[in-house]
Amino acid sequence: MEIQHPTTDRTGRTPEAFRQNIVNNLYYSRGANVQSASNYDIYMALSRTVRNHLVERFRRTVDMRYAVNPRFVYYLSAEYLLGRQLPQNLLYSDTGELAGAALDGSQFPMTTMIEQDVEPGLGNGGLGRLAACFLDSLATLDIPAIGYGIRYEYGIFRQEIRDGYQVEQPDEWLALDFPWEFAQPDDMIPVGFGGHAEHYHDAHGHVRARWHPAEQVMGEPHHILVPGYGTTTVNFLRLWRARATAEFDFRLFDIGDYASAVQAKVHSENISKVLYPNDNTPQGRELRLRQQYFFVACSLRDIIDRFLRCGNPIEDLAEKVVIQLNDTHPVVGIPELMRLLIDEYDLEWHAAWEITGRVFAYTCHTLMPEALEKWPVSLFERLLPRHMVIINEINRRFLADVSARYPNDYDRLSRLSLIEDGGERQVRMAHLAVVGSFSVNGVAELHSQLLKDRVLRDFYELWPERFNNKTNGVTPRRFIRLANPRLSGLISDTIGDGWLRDLDRLEQLESHAADAAFRAQWRAVKTANKVDLAAVILARTGCVVDPNSMYDVMVKRLHEYKRQLLQALHIITRYNRLVADPTLDLTPRTFIFGAKAAPGYYMAKLIIKLINAVGEVVNNDPVAGKLMKVVFLPNFNVTLGESIYPAADLSEQISMAGKEASGTGNMKFALNGALTIGTLDGANIEIRERVGAENFFHFGLTVEEVFALKAQGYRPMDYVAAAPELEKALKQIASGVFSDGDPTLFEPIIRTLLDRDEFLVLADYAAYIESQEEVDRAYRDEETWTQRAILNAARCGFFSSDRAMRQYAEEIWRVKSLPVK
Ligand SMILES: *Cc1c(COP(=O)(O)O)cnc(C)c1O
């Protein structure tokens, strides 16, 4: 049989052909016809049809790469926060109009179809969303790249708000078929756990090691297509699902203990069951380490298989393969690659180490010491005995080198060691990452500097050349084009649509900021987006908000360091001012929050309750409620973000300086024409540098001032004494003004603020209030505000993830674009 590739004829580029393809998919894969079809049937048929348009490009991409054998970059991340696939794939396959025409006049409008599309929430927040933006940009830049991760059966929990409290519900994103993935159950990879390592003599009489795992689990690959925008390339994301081994099933079921056999099967499949809902705070659970090793082991096998299939010799691995580690979650890949090279491919230690050190590059995402992952040595030994031996050997050799360079500097040795002593011995994953990688990058200028100066200082002294910065970015396709079609239309009408692949072109908007007619159009876009968001707010919370008020928005994970509390104190202060003087001429504002708290993070959950409690009082106040509203939108995720970022006037980026590594929400807001009120933290600093200090409301202590204040001994009470309005707000919270007279409910919040206030909320309060007053004044001058908003967007082209990926490709990976011919 002669095999031919299907062509675009089959997938159909006319409205008739497209409609016929939907009908065919409906008929053959759903067993339905148009008369009998449900919304979901049509959605599935439509999605299949759109996916088919990408498959041809995908095959061409894969086939060409197989022929060319290029250098590949592999992005390893435990999280991907992808967002909805249907709108993206309609855009990227350029079938939006075809699909619109096909559905036009039917009882299945496109908006209904898009509502059926479930967002895969396989991440917690910024880190997972960054990974998704990077995949988008890699494909758009035609870079040979594959993402690897875990196909969690339950992604980040769905948040409901009941009586002001967060309630977590399971995210059943796979309850119905997910039409965007290809499962490959015939391509499983075995992964071992436990057991022991033994030494033996090989045929040449050399001593070698071999791992005999006690348990085996299979990794089943599923891939999701990742199309580039405006190019042929379609990359993919390969996610692993844990499956029990068939052999294992057979053995146990055969013994006759059916119930235990099923239990054992469930145990191994549990590995990919659920995403840990902690953002920035590792939980140190055995299942988590199993997840990490599971996906890394599968991915490395897959990478090496692909490499060998192209006819490359194993010694050349580092010529063709570079692996970017997204935070420490995949760092166990370093000893795993050593194990494969030594135990399975018979390389000597130093050859294996030389290759490993040229393959891996590490991105650090944090500044918080408690967020640096550590695993008990005892756990490691039990779960991954051979890896623990390898880590110890890496450490022994590393510390020997350090001793040679710094004789008798024992403090330095213990600071640098991969193993933390004192108490329970732990493996420091960030140290392992730095030792085993040729590149270590932070995610914003300030962050990278602080890594060198503080967090990883001893390593910087050893290997300064290893350290570099790559400021984060976001994809303009999802966060401008798809999220904000009105603004995209205005931008494209003004400067053409080249900005979608070259975001620096937004600069050309600058000259239009002085044009009153353009400003009016810009404002009309913002207002229309605010009207849309008001409808979402009404539907989700029952609260009526005024689109003519300023939308003051804080959406991000709930963390004390991000300081949602500071905004809450500002809101209470504003409320008190209005109550004290009802004639006060304040700028009407709608305060919009969205934030998930880790289910075990008590203080974060209490802060959610406080925000809702303050909203309850403020919104129902006959005086204040007219000039301010507080809404908490439940279940902040990518989809919700897409309707929030475009509608914001003011972006709240108010973390304590030195805590937010970069932030990416800040970029999404600025690109959609919001002005920022923010501290000099993370990428806020770079945003301010670019948009100009006059177009950014900055306040608060700098990193240096934070360190100095902490060093001299911070006393929260001093700041309370100096600010009567702050004292009043705290007294109100403490006395039950926002808890129906119950003084106990929010007592823990008051106590942390007054006792310790680790994140200097009280120290920054006065500066924040003052800056907010300036925001009020600025907002009154509509024309100038609009001009500043336009300049924010025009000057933020740098924050495209395309730019970030170009920098990684040139400065870290040395990979080249390979457009599909
Ligand atoms: C962008 C984004 C984040 C990150 O927001 P920050 O303000 O940078 O913390 C978190 N969650 C979602 C859903 C996002 O889209």
Side-chain angles (χ1 to χ4, degrees):
M1 185 174 77
E2 187 166 332
I3 307 224
Q4 281 188 334
H5 275 291
T7 66
T8 30
D9 286 348
R10 201 183 76 85
T11 47
R13 280 251 157 230
T14 64
E16 299 71 41
F18 196 88
R19 188 197 300 264
Q20 189 58 50
N21 282 328
I22 295 179
V23 171
N24 289 352
N25 277 317
L26 187 62
Y27 194 82
Y28 291 111
S29 72
R30 309 283 313 158
N33 59 25
V34 177
Q35 287 70 39
S36 71
S38 64
N39 279 333
Y40 179 70
D41 287 328
I42 300 286
Y43 160 73
M44 288 299 287
L46 169 65
S47 299
R48 276 284 136 70
T49 305
V50 173
R51 195 181 76 172
N52 286 347
H53 275 262
L54 296 175
V55 168
E56 191 209 348
R57 282 166 53 187
F58 168 63
R59 284 312 323 168
R60 284 170 63 193
T61 308
V62 171
D63 292 347
M64 188 201 55
R65 286 177 184 167
Y66 185 74
V68 172
N69 186 18
R71 182 169 162 85
F72 265 85
V73 53
Y74 296 101
Y75 198 78
L76 264 57
S77 176
E79 302 189 11
Y80 291 91
L81 207 47
L82 295 171
R84 277 186 172 148
Q85 297 296 289
L86 176 58
Q88 169 194 289
N89 290 341
L90 282 166
L91 176 68
Y92 285 47
S93 61
D94 196 21
T95 54
E97 277 180 29
L98 287 174
L103 295 179
D104 201 31
S106 76
Q107 76 259 45
F108 304 103
M110 186 58 89
T111 48
T112 307
M113 294 300 99
I114 288 173
E115 281 164 18
Q116 311 292 309
D117 200 43
V118 177
E119 133 169 20
L122 310 183
N124 273 288
L127 174 141
R129 184 54 235 176
L130 183 79
C133 285
F134 281 2
L135 293 184
D136 178 272
S137 290
L138 287 167
T140 299
L141 295 172
D142 299 312
I143 293 176
I146 297 174
Y148 283 104
I150 301 172
R151 182 179 176 277
Y152 302 104
E153 192 174 326
Y154 296 93
I156 187 66
F157 64 86
R158 188 162 49 79
Q159 180 194 54
E160 290 180 3
I161 300 295
R162 287 192 210 148
D163 187 28
Y165 290 100
Q166 165 174 303
V167 176
E168 301 93 23
Q169 297 291 341
D171 162 50
E172 294 179 325
W173 72 289
L174 293 168
L176 301 176
D177 260 357
F178 180 66
W180 304 107
E181 67 179 356
F182 294 83
Q184 284 157 334
D186 55 340
D187 205 6
M188 299 223 265
I189 289 180
V191 179
F193 288 99
H196 65 279
E198 67 162 18
H199 289 273
Y200 67 101
H201 290 271
D202 68 10
H204 311 285
H206 295 138
V207 179
R208 314 200 61 92
R210 192 156 48 195
W211 177 26
H212 294 282
E215 230 189 291
Q216 217 175 52
V217 179
M218 304 302 286
E220 180 185 70
H222 291 245
H223 60 240
I224 298 178
L225 301 184
V226 181
Y229 179 78
T231 179
T232 304
T233 299
V234 175
N235 285 340
F236 63 93
L237 168 61
R238 190 162 251 208
L239 301 176
W240 301 99
R241 174 183 185 185
R243 294 293 215 166
T245 57
E247 171 207 355
F248 171 82
D249 285 358
F250 180 78
R251 202 162 15 94
L252 280 162
F253 282 90
D254 209 38
I255 296 166
D257 187 353
Y258 180 76
S260 323
V262 170
Q263 216 165 44
K265 185 174 162 72
V266 167
H267 173 72
S268 43
E269 301 196 340
N270 263 344
I271 289 181
S272 59
K273 196 61 83 182
V274 61
L275 166 77
Y276 277 97
N278 304 354
D279 185 68
N280 255 307
T281 37
Q283 221 175 3
R285 300 278 288 272
E286 175 173 337
L287 184 58
R288 173 83 172 167
L289 182 56
R290 280 175 170 271
Q291 289 185 334
Q292 296 182 351
Y293 178 66
F294 165 72
F295 101 88
V296 164
C298 290
S299 306
L300 280 177
R301 273 275 174 230
D302 204 49
I303 290 167
I304 292 175
D305 284 352
R306 182 172 304 104
F307 169 82
L308 295 175
R309 235 182 358 256
C310 282
N312 302 299
I314 194 75
E315 290 76 13
D316 289 356
L317 190 73
E319 312 302 323
K320 298 286 187 184
V321 170
V322 57
I323 298 176
Q324 191 69 37
L325 303 168
N326 194 27
D327 215 283
T328 51
H329 318 141
V331 165
V332 67
I334 291 170
E336 171 67 359
L337 181 59
M338 286 298 285
R339 185 187 72 81
L340 291 170
L341 294 176
I342 294 171
D343 295 358
E344 303 200 5
Y345 293 97
D346 293 354
L347 265 59
E348 298 291 341
W349 179 280
H350 83 265
W353 184 241
E354 201 260 338
I355 292 172
T356 300
R358 287 167 57 215
V359 162
F360 288 103
Y362 162 57
T363 304
C364 178
H365 281 273
T366 190
L367 283 164
M368 298 189 290
E370 68 272 24
L372 293 171
E373 274 192 310
K374 287 173 201 162
W375 293 107
V377 167
S378 57
L379 172 62
F380 233 106
E381 263 164 357
R382 182 157 53 77
L383 220 54
L384 301 168
R386 176 68 181 132
H387 298 78
M388 194 61 239
V389 171
I390 291 172
I391 291 170
N392 283 328
E393 181 61 14
I394 294 172
N395 199 32
R396 190 185 67 75
R397 292 171 184 243
F398 166 56
L399 292 181
D401 288 350
V402 176
S403 298
R405 227 171 115 171
Y406 301 95
N408 302 320
D409 191 344
Y410 301 107
D411 280 351
R412 185 181 298 266
L413 286 181
S414 82
R415 290 198 306 269
L416 282 166
S417 175
L418 306 189
I419 308 293
E420 186 168 285
D421 271 316
E424 191 179 21
R425 302 180 72 231
Q426 314 225 59
V427 184
R428 296 161 161 164
M429 299 307 276
H431 291 205
L432 179 56
V434 178
V435 172
S437 299
F438 66 88
S439 162
V440 178
N441 76 282
V443 290
E445 294 285 353
L446 173 69
H447 176 234
S448 297
Q449 194 58 47
L450 290 171
L451 289 182
K452 296 194 280 190
D453 292 348
R454 293 174 172 264
V455 185
L456 298 172
R457 181 184 176 145
D458 293 309
F459 287 100
Y460 177 65
E461 282 176 19
L462 275 181
W463 301 307
E465 69 289 349
R466 227 171 258 199
F467 286 74
N468 64 94
N469 174 59
K470 297 289 170 280
T471 299
N472 282 167
V474 300
T475 168
R477 272 76 63 184
R478 183 174 291 273
F479 288 106
I480 309 177
R481 174 63 187 81
L482 290 167
N484 198 344
R486 293 187 184 98
L487 188 66
S488 302
L490 176 59
I491 295 172
S492 293
D493 288 348
T494 311
I495 63 169
D497 61 8
W499 59 276
L500 280 161
R501 281 173 56 88
D502 177 8
L503 203 59
D504 288 334
R505 292 198 199 175
L506 291 182
E507 279 169 12
Q508 296 167 28
L509 292 173
E510 226 182 290
S511 56
H512 297 270
D515 172 358
F518 183 77
R519 288 201 302 270
Q521 287 178 295
W522 187 279
R523 250 190 326 270
V525 165
K526 184 62 82 180
T527 303
N529 292 339
K530 289 168 73 174
V531 170
D532 284 357
L533 182 56
V536 172
I537 291 171
L538 179 63
R540 307 273 173 101
T541 70
C543 186
V544 176
V545 304
D546 177 6
N548 294 312
S549 64
M550 179 203 300
Y551 282 13
D552 177 343
V553 187
M554 184 161 190
V555 289
K556 45 184 76 250
R557 283 297 290 250
L558 213 140
H559 268 289
E560 287 166 283
Y561 84 79
K562 289 178 185 275
R563 301 199 296 191
Q564 278 91 352
L565 264 180
L566 188 53
Q567 172 73 313
L569 290 171
H570 164 232
I571 292 169
I572 295 171
T573 303
R574 215 174 162 85
Y575 164 74
N576 286 334
R577 287 182 185 181
L578 273 172
V579 170
D581 178 5
T583 67
L584 206 61
D585 187 22
L586 280 186
T587 302
R589 286 204 203 195
T590 302
F591 296 94
I592 299 166
F593 288 90
K596 288 180 185 175
Y601 188 171
Y602 172 77
M603 195 56 73
K605 294 174 94 168
L606 194 57
I607 292 169
I608 290 177
K609 172 63 178 172
L610 176 66
I611 291 166
N612 283 306
V614 170
E616 193 72 28
V617 170
V618 169
N619 298 352
N620 294 313
D621 186 279
V623 176
K626 286 206 176 62
L627 285 175
M628 53 192 292
K629 281 278 185 317
V630 182
V631 296
F632 190 101
L633 275 168
N635 201 37
F636 177 60
N637 60 9
V638 177
T639 305
L640 192 52
E642 287 169 16
S643 55
I644 294 174
Y645 296 115
D649 294 304
L650 186 66
S651 158
E652 297 279 345
Q653 308 299 336
I654 59 178
S655 52
M656 181 180 85
K659 287 289 167 188
E660 191 74 88
S662 162
T664 48
N666 46 6
M667 302 166 187
K668 300 170 199 166
F669 279 111
L671 285 166
N672 280 287
L675 270 61
T676 305
I677 182 166
T679 47
L680 295 182
D681 199 14
N684 295 353
I685 297 175
E686 290 158 78
I687 291 175
R688 178 166 173 266
E689 270 168 19
R690 290 194 148 73
V691 305
E694 68 285 6
N695 300 310
F696 186 110
F697 302 96
H698 107 269
F699 74 96
L701 300 170
T702 61
V703 178
E704 292 76 22
E705 289 166 345
V706 165
F707 289 134
L709 180 56
K710 294 213 161 190
Q712 100 194 20
Y714 169 52
R715 292 191 317 208
M717 283 308 290
D718 293 356
Y719 294 84
V720 180
E725 289 185 292
L726 172 58
E727 184 177 12
K728 174 163 182 184
L730 293 173
K731 282 206 165 124
Q732 287 170 312
I733 299 171
S735 66
V737 168
F738 305 107
S739 44
D740 296 323
D742 177 358
T744 61
L745 182 59
F746 296 122
E747 205 226 2
I749 291 179
I750 298 298
R751 202 157 3 99
T752 47
L753 287 178
L754 297 185
D755 286 359
R756 203 153 91 90
D757 189 18
E758 186 184 352
F759 303 105
L760 306 183
V761 172
L762 305 186
D764 268 345
Y765 168 87
Y768 182 55
I769 297 292
E770 202 175 302
S771 187
Q772 287 285 16
E773 288 166 359
E774 196 189 325
V775 170
D776 259 29
R777 288 191 291 275
Y779 195 73
R780 294 184 165 231
D781 182 349
E782 196 175 71
E783 293 296 344
T784 311
W785 183 280
T786 309
Q787 192 164 6
R788 292 165 142 192
I790 296 168
L791 291 177
N792 262 264
R795 294 173 178 175
C796 279
F798 175 81
F799 299 103
S800 168
S801 46
D802 297 346
R803 182 271 314 155
M805 286 296 88
R806 230 177 255 121
Q807 285 187 319
Y808 276 81
E810 286 169 14
E811 298 164 19
I812 300 178
W813 303 329
R814 295 179 297 102
V815 292
K816 292 202 179 62
S817 282
L818 182 64
V820 178
K821 298 270 169 16

